[in-house]
Amino acid sequence: MIRTRFAPSPTGPLHLGHAYSAITAHDFARAHKGQFLLRIEDIDQSRARTTWENQIYDDLAWLGLTWDGQVMRQSQRAAAYSTALNQLWEAGLIYCCTCSRRDIVQASSAPQEGLSAHHTGPDGLVYPGSCRSSIKDRVWINGAALRINISEALKGYNSVTFKNIESDINRPVFYIKDNLQMTDFIGDFVVSRRVNEAAYHLAVVVDDTAQEITHVVRGEDLKSATPIHILLQRLLGHPTPTYMHHPLIRDDAGKRLAKRDDAKAISKFRAEGASPANIRAMIGL
Ligand code: GLU
């Protein structure tokens, strides 16, 4: 059975870009007699707000979208994230990193032998590897972040591959990132900001598996993060769904919409008298 999901972060109003993701994932599931699930990605408790969460339920209902089963909330999933982190730790794939952002910038501007060259990836500057040697200490430092040792993680494979829906929704094509691209442009990514504070990449993978998602539908801005998710699924022994990264809805100046772009908020169009059909027409669905 096909299962899709919509996974907004309650850190601002839903705008036309969110409507595009939610409607596409919903309609795809319904067209295949599958299920559409909702997950509130409130893992960053410093930014999540209940008012935005309530507005999400309200906007989705107004758009005519219904979801199946219970809503999953990341703020209640700490135990599942910690099981996954322990699994990676026991496998010797993650290490403690005490670098500040400043340390990373400094180390990147003065590359040393054995450390990665200065590149940027989905999370900004690719980590130069300064703390990587701490992996042998096997000590979990309180307050440290946890990073994947990407070279260890890639052992035994040549590339990271996933099925990606491009032009034909029923015929996904293979998307491939070879190991060199993974080490140079992704590097040792963070899986936990501190002990018991899972990072987005880990949470999204653990939750997509728990919700048994078969098709992840989301914006193109997350396409560069997808190889990270595939690698984590492989390391954790989870299945890999099919992906679909839809084009981003842009503002009139061609810039992609951000949470703060209240001008394109669904609630604003609602207040001005737009109908759900008008919203669909605006985004071409
Ligand atoms: N929570 C993310 C967002 O609101 C989406 C994550 C995902 O779809 O994987 O941008």
Side-chain angles (χ1 to χ4, degrees):
M1 152 143 45
I2 288 201
R3 283 164 79 101
T4 63
R5 46 70 161 183
F6 178 52
S9 308
T11 54
L14 292 189
H15 54 56
L16 291 181
H18 295 104
Y20 196 109
S21 283
I23 293 173
T24 308
H26 171 272
D27 290 3
F28 181 66
R30 297 287 175 244
H32 291 84
K33 302 209 177 334
Q35 293 189 325
F36 171 68
L37 283 79
L38 180 59
R39 179 165 80 233
I40 300 294
E41 298 213 321
D42 57 352
I43 197 158
D44 183 353
Q45 283 288 296
S46 64
R47 293 171 61 229
R49 297 284 175 274
T50 313
T51 45
W52 295 128
E53 184 177 333
N54 291 335
Q55 174 102 46
I56 289 170
Y57 301 134
D58 202 45
D59 282 343
L60 292 179
W62 177 79
L63 283 169
L65 307 184
T66 50
W67 53 90
D68 297 292
Q70 296 265 72
V71 174
M72 179 177 272
R73 300 172 77 233
Q74 291 192 324
S75 52
Q76 292 167 357
R77 303 266 306 143
Y81 305 146
S82 122
T83 303
L85 287 170
N86 275 318
Q87 195 181 332
L88 296 173
W89 180 263
E90 289 306 322
L93 293 168
I94 53 178
Y95 62 88
C96 286
C97 171
T98 49
C99 291
S100 64
R101 208 174 285 265
R102 207 160 139 229
D103 296 335
I104 297 174
V105 173
Q106 273 174 1
S108 303
S109 55
Q112 296 160 37
E113 208 182 324
L115 301 185
S116 313
H118 176 160
H119 284 136
T120 48
D123 297 332
L125 266 185
V126 171
Y127 183 61
S130 327
C131 288
R132 194 180 295 142
S133 59
S134 78
I135 202 156
K136 61 181 181 330
D137 302 338
R138 312 290 298 138
V139 182
W140 201 315
I141 307 167
N142 212 3
L146 291 168
R147 288 184 182 275
I148 284 275
N149 180 331
I150 191 100
S151 334
E152 275 304 309
L154 291 166
K155 276 202 175 137
Y157 296 90
N158 296 322
S159 63
V160 165
T161 309
F162 59 93
K163 278 197 221 153
N164 193 46
I165 293 173
E166 286 173 10
S167 45
D168 182 348
I169 212 158
N170 294 309
R171 298 181 66 178
V173 297
F174 277 102
Y175 182 94
I176 301 169
K177 275 248 179 243
D178 66 35
N179 283 7
L180 204 61
Q181 289 172 306
M182 291 297 291
T183 47
D184 285 0
F185 294 98
I186 289 180
D188 292 3
F189 57 89
V190 170
V191 285
S192 181
R193 307 198 171 285
R194 278 184 210 97
V195 174
N196 286 334
E197 250 187 61
Y200 159 70
H201 299 309
L202 185 94
V204 84
V205 163
V206 170
D207 293 343
D208 280 337
T209 301
Q211 291 191 301
E212 297 179 42
I213 301 304
T214 61
H215 290 72
V216 172
V217 178
R218 58 186 180 189
E220 222 163 43
D221 52 334
L222 287 169
K223 190 171 181 186
S224 60
T226 300
I228 296 179
H229 303 166
I230 309 306
L231 180 60
L232 282 172
Q233 286 153 4
R234 184 198 281 173
L235 299 174
L236 292 166
H238 292 187
T240 287
T242 297
Y243 285 79
M244 176 176 174
H245 301 93
H246 61 73
L248 299 181
I249 304 290
R250 302 191 177 267
D251 66 13
D252 301 335
K255 239 180 72 226
R256 89 180 171 91
L257 298 181
K259 279 275 160 59
R260 58 192 170 282
D261 290 324
D262 291 5
K264 302 283 178 191
I266 296 170
S267 51
K268 181 175 169 276
F269 292 112
R270 285 175 68 179
E272 288 170 0
S275 68
N278 295 145
I279 302 282
R280 279 183 180 257
M282 276 181 226
I283 55 184
L285 289 176

